[in-house]
Each structure stands twice: as C-alpha cells, then as structure tokens.
Amino acid sequence: SDRWNDDPSKPIFIDRDGYIFAHVLNYLRYGSIELPTNLPKSMFQRECDFYGFTTNMASVQQDTSIGEMKIIKQKIDDA
C-alpha cells in the first residue's frame, strides 16, 4: 500500500519489536489470542494500531494464572 511504500518493487523495512509482532500475526491468523503475562494488552493494542487494523479487545485475553505469577516471582527473586 502507499502507506508503507511508494514503490512496490522495493522491499519494506519495519523496525518494530519482533516478539510482539509474532503475537500480532497469531491474532490475525486466529481472530483471538491469549497474551503472555509479560506482554501488556496496551502494548499489543499499540502494535495493532501501528499496522492499521482494528482489534476486538474482547478477543484478547491475558494469562494471569496464579501458577504463571509464581514463576515470574521466582525469576525475580532469583535475579
């Protein structure tokens, strides 16, 4: 599209976070996603906005299980 590149024969370079982009791709593939605890919904939404598509935030869940939180706490304590 013209938004990304005036000359379609040239490659497009997008300097964004590859980790978040992987989750954006999965959202686009499946129409919903469960984000890991280390990826805030606000950051995910910002990336979707950057790429120019609307997200249904009701289909974006956040894994906040007690077990996951204990793992994170242990990693912090071990650091």
Side-chain angles (χ1 to χ4, degrees):
S1 85
D2 291 339
R3 178 178 181 201
W4 297 105
N5 195 342
D6 292 334
D7 183 352
S9 66
K10 292 183 179 178
I12 299 171
F13 176 75
I14 302 172
D15 189 13
R16 302 300 281 188
D17 187 315
Y19 175 73
I20 300 173
F21 184 68
H23 296 287
V24 169
L25 284 178
N26 282 331
Y27 176 79
L28 290 171
R29 285 180 183 127
Y30 306 115
S32 65
I33 192 163
E34 184 171 334
L35 298 174
T37 55
N38 65 339
L39 177 53
K41 283 185 176 185
S42 60
M43 289 179 70
F44 178 80
Q45 179 68 56
R46 187 177 328 149
E47 287 300 295
C48 293
D49 290 344
F50 174 81
Y51 291 109
F53 64 89
T54 306
T55 55
N56 174 4
M57 290 308 284
S59 65
V60 178
Q61 303 299 315
Q62 187 85 48
D63 179 10
T64 56
S65 67
I66 297 297
E68 182 70 19
M69 297 305 282
K70 286 180 180 180
I71 291 169
I72 291 171
K73 182 183 180 312
Q74 186 63 49
K75 288 180 180 180
I76 292 170
D77 291 344
D78 292 344

